[in-house]
């Protein structure tokens, strides 16, 4: 009873430590787009302002929110791009018409092969809370390329299966170039608006990958030809439609691990919707390519999994920092470096209410599919369209569905679901703040783990 009481007090104290004195404000990027008159092009990646105000009775609430194109703490004379009154927007959210675009990544992280600086880095957009003209608190739209190793003293003791790990759903389903409003292909197939390199630099550490195999590259090419081991035959698929060459994702992951030397990345080869059924040799070809491309970067699993897997400190003592989970058990049995299939809690929900009810049951009620020998498991926190939606809802799409839940996901995981969550994967990840929530949650989990260690 005494230990239980202490744990409750510790949870409460952790929440207090990470709460601001009266409120907080943060920026996200909308998954929605707006049409441009007399043009097939659209406006997308517009900035969103989010805030939570929770002041004590003795503290007056902030009265103004300002959005800037530079840090107001270092430039008092800068003119705000937008001024809001929180009282006029009681939902704690405002979608602006300020376009983020696809800016260069700060800290040297745009080069992919150049010098990079560890730690978080701000993009140009900042937001601040004010009371009577006095700056109260501020934040920026930022990247977290080295967050695991940045917080190594706090997080090193945590098993990988206890961490809250931000991820993306159908991670390779993005498109380079401008969006068009007439392109149905965009609406129901693309789930992200940043490539995998940019996802990782922002702080994503779990990649959900579905692979298709396409045997004929050239006329007269045969399955038995030497070219059959060519990586160009493998594509990232959304169901049966191929989207992105697998080679792009492999290149981005390898380059990221080469420069972010303390980060751990999980590649979940979860499904193989095209070209693999009854063809075990194609699984072996893919495994051969993965081992050839990643080599010593691969973290081998402990076949006798106990508890929640290795700690980050355990991982950092070796060379391997890439976990490759593979959704075919026969292939896993043939390669000692492949991790078993990773359980995904996927609700197949079409409404916000249905999804959140499902996630409550999975996370709080422990009703999710956690029967895999793999200590990792993932919550797939996105809505799923009906197959006929593509025909009967041509003006809807995955962007609208992501917009309906992303803001609320941030609050739900921040306030309730963080304690029991391992991996959480979303569509259009910049529309939520789960990378930052994950970092804060892991520090809280670390504090709790340290307290338990000290008590015992």
């Amino acid at each position: 009873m005494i230990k239980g009481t202490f744990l409750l007090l510790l949870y409460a104290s952790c929440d207090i430590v990470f709460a601001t004195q009266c409120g907080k404000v943060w920026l996200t990027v909308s998954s929605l787009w707006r049409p441009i008159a007399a043009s097939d092009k659209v406006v997308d990646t517009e900035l969103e302002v989010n805030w939570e105000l929770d002041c004590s009775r003795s503290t007056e609430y902030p009265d103004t929110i300002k959005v800037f194109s530079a840090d107001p703490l270092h430039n008092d004379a800068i003119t705000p791009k937008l001024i809001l009154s929180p009282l006029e927007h009681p939902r704690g959210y405002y979608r602006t018409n300020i376009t983020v675009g696809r800016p260069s990544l700060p800290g040297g992280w745009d080069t992919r092969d150049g010098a990079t600086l560890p730690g978080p880095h701000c993009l140009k957009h900042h937001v601040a809370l004010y009371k009577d003209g006095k700056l109260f608190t501020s934040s920026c739209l930022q990247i977290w390329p080295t967050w695991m190793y940045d917080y190594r003293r706090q997080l090193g003791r945590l098993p990988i299966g206890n961490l809250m790990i931000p991820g993306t759903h159908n991670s390779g389903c993005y498109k380079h170039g401008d969006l068009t409003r007439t392109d149905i292909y965009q609406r129901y197939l693309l789930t992200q608006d940043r490539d995998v390199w940019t996802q990782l630099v922002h702080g994503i550490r779990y990649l959900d990958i579905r692979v298709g195999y396409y045997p004929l590259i050239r006329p007269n090419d045969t399955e038995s030809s030497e070219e059959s081991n060519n990586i160009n035959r493998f594509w990232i698929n959304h169901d049966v439609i191929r989207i992105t060459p697998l080679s792009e994702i492999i290149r981005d992951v390898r380059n990221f691990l080469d420069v972010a030397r303390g980060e751990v990345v999980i590649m979940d080869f979860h499904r193989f919707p095209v070209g693999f059924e009854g063809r075990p040799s194609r699984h072996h070809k893919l495994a051969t390519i993965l081992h050839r491309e990643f080599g010593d970067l691969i973290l081998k699993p402990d076949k006798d999994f106990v508890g929640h897997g290795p700690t980050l400190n355990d991982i950092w003592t070796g060379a391997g920092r890439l976990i490759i989970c593979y959704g075919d058990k026969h292939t896993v049995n043939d390669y000692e470096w492949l991790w078993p299939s990773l359980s995904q809690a996927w609700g197949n929900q079409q409404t916000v209410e249905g999804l959140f009810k499902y996630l409550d049951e999975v996370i709080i009620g422990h009703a999710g599919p956690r029967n895999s020998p793999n200590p990792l498991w993932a919550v797939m926190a996105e809505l799923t369209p009906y197959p006929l939606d593509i025909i009967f809802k041509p003006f809807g799409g995955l962007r609208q569905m992501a917009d309906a839940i992303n803001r609320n996901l941030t609050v739900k995981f921040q306030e309730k679901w963080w304690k029991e969550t391992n991996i959480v994967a979303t569509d259009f990840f910049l529309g939520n703040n789960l990378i930052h929530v994950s970092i804060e949650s892991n520090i809280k989990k670390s504090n709790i783990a340290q307290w338990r260690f000290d008590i015992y």
Side-chain angles (χ1 to χ4, degrees):
M1 180 64 181
I2 293 175
K3 289 178 181 177
T5 302
F6 272 119
L7 281 176
L8 288 174
L9 289 172
L10 186 61
Y11 280 130
S13 66
C14 287
D15 287 337
I16 291 170
V17 167
F18 283 94
T20 60
Q21 56 182 320
C22 184
K24 53 189 169 183
V25 62
W26 66 94
L27 296 172
T28 52
V29 179
S30 175
S31 60
L32 300 177
W33 53 261
R34 293 186 294 109
I36 300 174
S39 174
D40 190 43
K41 293 184 178 180
V42 301
V43 175
D44 68 334
T45 66
E46 292 180 306
L47 203 65
E48 301 171 320
V49 184
N50 309 264
W51 63 91
E52 287 184 358
L53 304 182
D54 186 16
C55 304
S56 65
R57 293 182 179 180
S58 61
T59 304
E60 293 188 49
Y61 277 72
D63 55 24
T64 306
I65 297 173
K66 297 181 182 180
V67 179
F68 301 91
S69 58
D71 187 354
L73 294 176
H74 297 98
N75 190 345
D76 294 336
I78 187 172
T79 302
K81 304 279 288 185
L82 177 70
I83 300 176
L84 298 172
S85 170
L87 294 178
E88 295 178 1
H89 305 280
R91 295 175 59 200
Y93 163 80
Y94 184 83
R95 180 186 172 197
T96 80
N97 61 2
I98 301 171
T99 301
V100 175
R102 287 159 181 79
S104 297
L105 301 173
W109 290 96
D110 215 34
T111 61
R112 300 175 188 254
D113 57 0
T116 53
L117 298 175
H121 303 278
C122 288
L123 299 169
K124 74 174 185 178
H125 292 103
H126 289 69
V127 63
L129 273 174
Y130 290 84
K131 173 62 180 174
D132 296 330
K134 181 179 179 181
L135 193 149
F136 184 77
T137 186
S138 66
S139 67
C140 64
L141 195 63
Q142 64 188 149
I143 60 173
W144 294 83
T146 56
W147 65 264
M148 285 182 166
Y149 204 63
D150 292 341
Y151 292 100
R152 56 191 176 276
R153 292 183 180 177
Q154 296 96 323
L155 306 188
R157 67 176 72 95
L158 290 179
I160 191 75
N162 274 357
L163 286 170
M164 181 174 173
I165 300 173
T168 48
H169 165 243
N170 274 335
S171 307
C173 294
Y174 57 84
K175 176 190 174 184
H176 297 292
D178 295 333
L179 300 178
T180 61
R181 58 176 167 175
T182 59
D183 196 348
I184 295 298
Y185 173 87
Q186 306 282 353
R187 298 176 186 268
Y188 285 99
L189 291 179
L190 302 184
T191 58
Q192 307 299 331
D193 53 11
R194 296 293 190 273
D195 60 26
V196 165
W197 168 268
T198 308
Q199 292 176 37
L200 294 170
V201 169
H202 271 274
I204 293 298
R205 293 294 175 268
Y206 167 82
L207 303 173
D208 171 46
I209 298 171
R210 324 294 174 94
V211 180
Y213 181 89
Y214 296 86
L216 298 179
I217 299 175
R218 302 184 301 265
N220 303 320
D221 190 17
T222 65
E223 181 77 8
S224 61
S225 73
E226 188 174 340
E227 280 292 309
S228 64
N229 285 322
N230 193 317
I231 193 173
N232 294 327
R233 294 178 179 270
F234 295 92
W235 283 72
I236 298 296
N237 275 40
H238 191 146
D239 291 328
V240 297
I241 307 298
R242 58 179 172 179
I243 307 293
T244 308
L246 177 61
S247 59
E248 282 191 22
I249 280 68
I250 288 178
R251 178 200 64 208
D252 284 351
V253 173
R254 186 182 61 231
N255 288 347
F256 178 77
L257 288 171
D258 283 342
V259 295
R261 298 189 177 275
E263 302 306 288
V264 178
V265 173
I266 302 160
M267 295 181 76
D268 181 13
F269 287 81
H270 197 74
R271 290 185 59 236
F272 308 91
V274 172
F276 284 86
E277 183 69 28
R279 302 283 188 133
S281 63
R282 294 178 179 176
H283 284 290
H284 293 299
K285 290 169 186 173
L286 178 54
T288 299
I289 290 170
L290 293 175
H291 195 269
R292 180 187 73 204
E293 295 292 331
F294 291 114
D296 291 341
L297 289 171
I298 298 173
L299 176 67
K300 295 180 180 179
D302 181 350
K303 293 298 184 180
D304 299 318
F305 281 116
V306 177
H308 296 280
T311 66
L312 287 179
N313 283 335
D314 293 334
I315 295 173
W316 289 328
T317 60
R321 291 176 289 112
L322 174 64
I323 294 173
I324 301 179
C325 304
Y326 205 85
D328 181 81
K329 63 180 180 181
H330 301 293
T331 308
V332 171
N333 290 337
D334 290 336
Y335 298 93
E336 63 173 357
W337 47 271
L338 287 176
W339 290 52
S341 178
L342 188 152
S343 293
Q344 289 185 349
W346 175 63
N348 190 22
Q349 298 294 319
Q350 288 73 44
T351 66
V352 176
E353 297 77 15
L355 178 63
F356 286 177
K357 181 177 182 294
Y358 171 77
L359 293 180
D360 248 340
E361 294 171 352
V362 166
I363 298 171
I364 304 301
H366 298 277
R370 307 182 198 182
N371 55 355
S372 168
N374 192 326
L376 302 166
W377 71 285
V379 169
M380 311 308 287
E382 66 278 332
L383 294 174
T384 305
Y386 290 114
L388 291 179
D389 285 345
I390 299 174
I391 298 173
F392 294 109
K393 295 183 180 180
F395 297 106
L398 299 179
R399 290 178 177 273
Q400 282 77 8
M401 300 178 89
D403 178 71
I405 64 168
N406 262 337
R407 294 188 299 278
N408 294 324
L409 282 175
T410 298
V411 176
K412 288 283 190 179
F413 279 98
Q414 182 173 268
E415 295 180 351
K416 185 177 182 181
W417 292 337
W418 66 270
K419 298 172 187 175
E420 304 296 334
T421 296
N422 182 204
I423 297 166
V424 54
T426 62
D427 288 344
F428 300 101
F429 74 99
L430 289 178
N432 58 61
N433 199 35
L434 289 180
I435 294 171
H436 186 254
V437 170
S438 296
I439 295 169
E440 287 193 343
S441 298
N442 288 327
I443 295 173
K444 290 191 282 188
K445 289 183 179 187
S446 175
N447 291 339
I448 293 166
Q450 183 60 44
W451 179 86
R452 284 174 171 159
F453 176 80
D454 293 341
I455 286 295
Y456 287 98

